[in-house]
Amino acid sequence: MKTLNELPAPLPAPGEPQRRRLYSSSFGLACMDAAALIVSWFLVVSLFGRVWGGEFFLLLPMLIIGQLVLGYLLSLYRNRYQLGSDHELRNQGMVAAILFTGTSLAGVVAEYREDIPWLLLALLFAQAIMVFGRQLIRVLRQLRLIPVSGEPVVIVGAGDLGASLVTQMMADPLSPYRPVAIVDDDPRKLRQLIHGVPVRGSTSSIAEVVAASDAAGVIVGISEAPAQVFASLVQRLDSEQIWVRAVPSPLDMLSSDVGISDIRDLDVTDLIGRPAAEPESEQISRLVEGRTVLVTGAGGSIGSELCRIISRHNPSRLIMLDRDESELHALCMSLEGRALMDSPDLVLADIRDFQALDRAFAELKPDIVVHAAALKHLPMLESYPAEGWKTNVHGSLNVLRAAQKHGVGRFVNISTDKAANPSSELGRSKFVAERFTAHFAAATGLPYVSVRFGNVLGSRGSVLISFTDQIRRGGPLTVTHPDVTRFFMTIPEACLLVLRAAALGSSGQTQVLDMGEPVRIVDLAKRLMAVTGRTCPIIYTGLRVGEKLNEELFSPEELDRTSTNGVSWTVDVPPLDPDSVPEPAASLEDIRSCYLSTVDAAEAPSAAAAVGPVDGPGVDAPASTVTDSGELPVIDVDHGTQTLGLSAQGRA
């Protein structure tokens, strides 16, 4: 341990070293410019054999003094501008113009008239020496600053942001990155030099540019770069050898200048081919502001994000209902920074228990209910169909009955794309919930709506979580089929669009969110490995019972659909009388019969056409495992659903 005597000497007063460096630099530049004028005088004498009179020796000191005084006044010797910059060159030109003018006016004196042209020539030479000297010093300084140990990188984007990144990298000898090439899709920028770094091609030739320049990675220097750019780069590059990184999001760039330290690794949400979520809209504020909002399943991934968004739009009260006390605890911590669990706005209840819901609704009197509670794992519900029946069907019915009984003004049922042309227990149970919602909308005349959307990245049990865990373990990554596709959204985007669609939807309608283009699961797996920089084997396990090769957003008969809000499509789902369905404890045979009458019968126009081999999205026979030849053998489509007696009919 150091004693007091061993401690380093105090630091100099703030600004003292800088003042010395500035003085030294200013004095050096002034001496350089004075020397340039003297050298130019001797240059003119030696080149043209001019013999100078005594009058000339009076003019030259005046010219030197004028250069130094004007240069000081215009900040050439006060280090206000970067050495050799365009700003400094402009002011140096102004000094030269004033000196030329003053020297020319001295020609009105007869004894000076003969010397003035030669003096102007010397002044011209001097200005050339000054410019050359400054640029030489600048180049030498830049050569000293060029990073030599940083990783060679290719910058995508030759715009302002890309040029700024190149400048910062080239000005820091300790920079972790050394730009060796730039690519840009603007053909006019091809072969340009940006701070000494050449533009060598477009993004379509990124692999060739990276190989030719021996780059270790690629940095995307494009503000608000669309996800397609990242996906395309990852697809074109060897993820085992070349990494891809990006600059911060636009919101982050507003808070601070983008620097080298802000460059980040890609997130998988950069790669799903969807634009960033839109900002929260006025429709959401008009929907929840000043109202009591109750969210079921509030502790889940969707429910908790819905609560966070709703809480930002000034509801008079936010009621969070869930059967999982641990999830409610975590939600309180994220919203309030504390979790005493004593707030009346926390309701521990199961939607299967109508009496508990009835008491909560009677006491809290919600104006809006957002129903997000559900069982959602498709394979589990295939194994335990009765549980899906109790929660997704009768649990939803309990929430709807409580909402009707206690005068809830707006009801939002969170559904899934698996309810479109359903082939699974999950899809059938959620489609019945959509039909229940349409029934209560007709009975109350109030805006009771369903919102249907696809998979959510990052939710519990999502493929992203599964892949991340498998990569952490070293693989392999399990994918059901090499051609399987799914629709994806991020959790914030899904919740924002759910609330916007709910605010704009009319009574009884099902709003189907615009999910963009479907993403191949195997591509998502490869992109995630590229993001993490690790490579794992991929094995194909075959489609599970009830799964489709390609998900759908609409059932075949849902042809009459419109989109007037730019957020979602509107489809009409036939109402279903709750009295026509069996009780929660119904047998599997009764559940089978109900699904056949409520789901298949509702889609009767397409059922007949679906019998037999049919090509198209959503009509795919599940497969089991990959054979040695790489082919996926077809398995019995009735296997695993025989307990319900469901035939394939193009959807099992």
Side-chain angles (χ1 to χ4, degrees), residues 104-149:
S104 300
L105 293 177
V108 299
V109 181
E111 56 268 27
Y112 295 155
R113 191 170 301 160
E114 185 179 355
D115 295 327
I116 293 302
W118 304 104
L119 196 60
L120 291 177
L121 183 60
L123 181 58
L124 180 62
F125 285 167
Q127 295 300 321
I129 294 174
M130 293 176 195
V131 172
F132 175 78
R134 282 168 166 79
Q135 295 302 320
L136 179 62
I137 294 174
R138 180 174 182 176
V139 168
L140 293 175
R141 286 183 176 179
Q142 290 177 340
L143 290 175
R144 189 180 60 187
L145 294 175
I146 290 177
V148 293
S149 60

Side-chain angles (χ1 to χ4, degrees), residues 275-536:
E278 296 182 2
E280 298 178 25
S281 64
E282 295 181 2
Q283 291 97 336
I284 300 177
S285 294
R286 289 197 295 267
L287 175 68
V288 304
E289 188 172 3
R291 294 182 173 88
T292 299
V293 183
L294 185 147
V295 179
T296 70
S301 357
I302 294 295
S304 59
E305 183 63 22
L306 285 168
C307 289
R308 294 184 189 97
I309 295 173
I310 291 170
S311 67
R312 294 196 291 264
H313 288 268
N314 302 317
S316 64
R317 193 172 183 184
L318 174 59
I319 312 299
M320 295 166 283
L321 183 148
D322 203 290
R323 67 175 183 177
D324 190 329
E325 58 181 342
S326 297
E327 293 297 337
L328 286 177
H329 179 275
L331 178 59
C332 284
M333 285 297 296
S334 68
L335 286 177
E336 303 173 2
R338 64 185 187 92
L340 299 179
M341 304 297 286
D342 57 355
S343 170
D345 293 341
L346 297 177
V347 179
L348 185 64
D350 193 327
I351 61 172
R352 294 182 179 185
D353 185 349
F354 177 76
Q355 284 72 29
L357 290 177
D358 186 49
R359 288 193 297 271
F361 276 63
E363 178 182 351
L364 302 171
K365 296 179 174 54
D367 302 307
I368 301 171
V369 170
V370 182
H371 176 43
L375 296 178
K376 62 179 182 179
H377 292 286
L378 186 148
M380 289 296 293
L381 293 190
E382 292 299 318
S383 301
Y384 300 96
E387 298 305 306
W389 175 261
K390 293 173 186 176
T391 297
N392 294 352
V393 174
H394 278 278
S396 298
L397 181 57
N398 288 338
V399 180
L400 282 162
R401 282 174 169 162
Q404 180 190 34
K405 178 178 178 180
H406 296 283
V408 171
R410 184 179 288 270
F411 187 95
V412 183
N413 170 46
I414 305 296
S415 189
T416 170
D417 59 353
K418 293 171 178 60
N421 194 23
S423 63
S424 61
E425 292 300 309
L426 172 60
R428 295 183 187 99
S429 62
K430 296 298 285 184
F431 181 70
V432 171
E434 287 187 13
R435 294 193 63 186
F436 282 161
T437 304
H439 169 82
F440 280 88
T444 62
L446 296 172
Y448 283 31
V449 300
S450 296
V451 181
R452 184 188 297 173
F453 57 93
N455 295 13
V456 177
L457 283 174
S459 63
R460 289 183 301 181
S462 75
V463 66
L464 175 60
I465 302 299
S466 301
F467 283 164
T468 302
D469 186 62
Q470 289 174 336
I471 291 173
R472 186 181 299 111
R473 296 169 183 267
L477 273 65
T478 54
V479 179
T480 55
H481 191 284
D483 297 322
V484 67
T485 66
R486 292 292 181 264
F487 294 99
F488 285 103
M489 304 181 89
T490 62
I491 294 176
E493 180 184 20
C495 294
L496 283 171
L497 295 181
V498 161
L499 292 174
R500 286 190 61 187
L504 300 170
S506 301
S507 181
Q509 295 177 336
T510 290
Q511 300 287 315
V512 183
L513 296 185
D514 179 5
M515 296 293 298
E517 294 297 323
V519 178
R520 291 177 69 221
I521 300 299
V522 67
D523 289 341
L524 187 63
K526 292 177 180 178
R527 294 169 187 174
L528 186 57
M529 285 190 286
V531 165
T532 58
R534 302 181 64 180
T535 302
C536 304

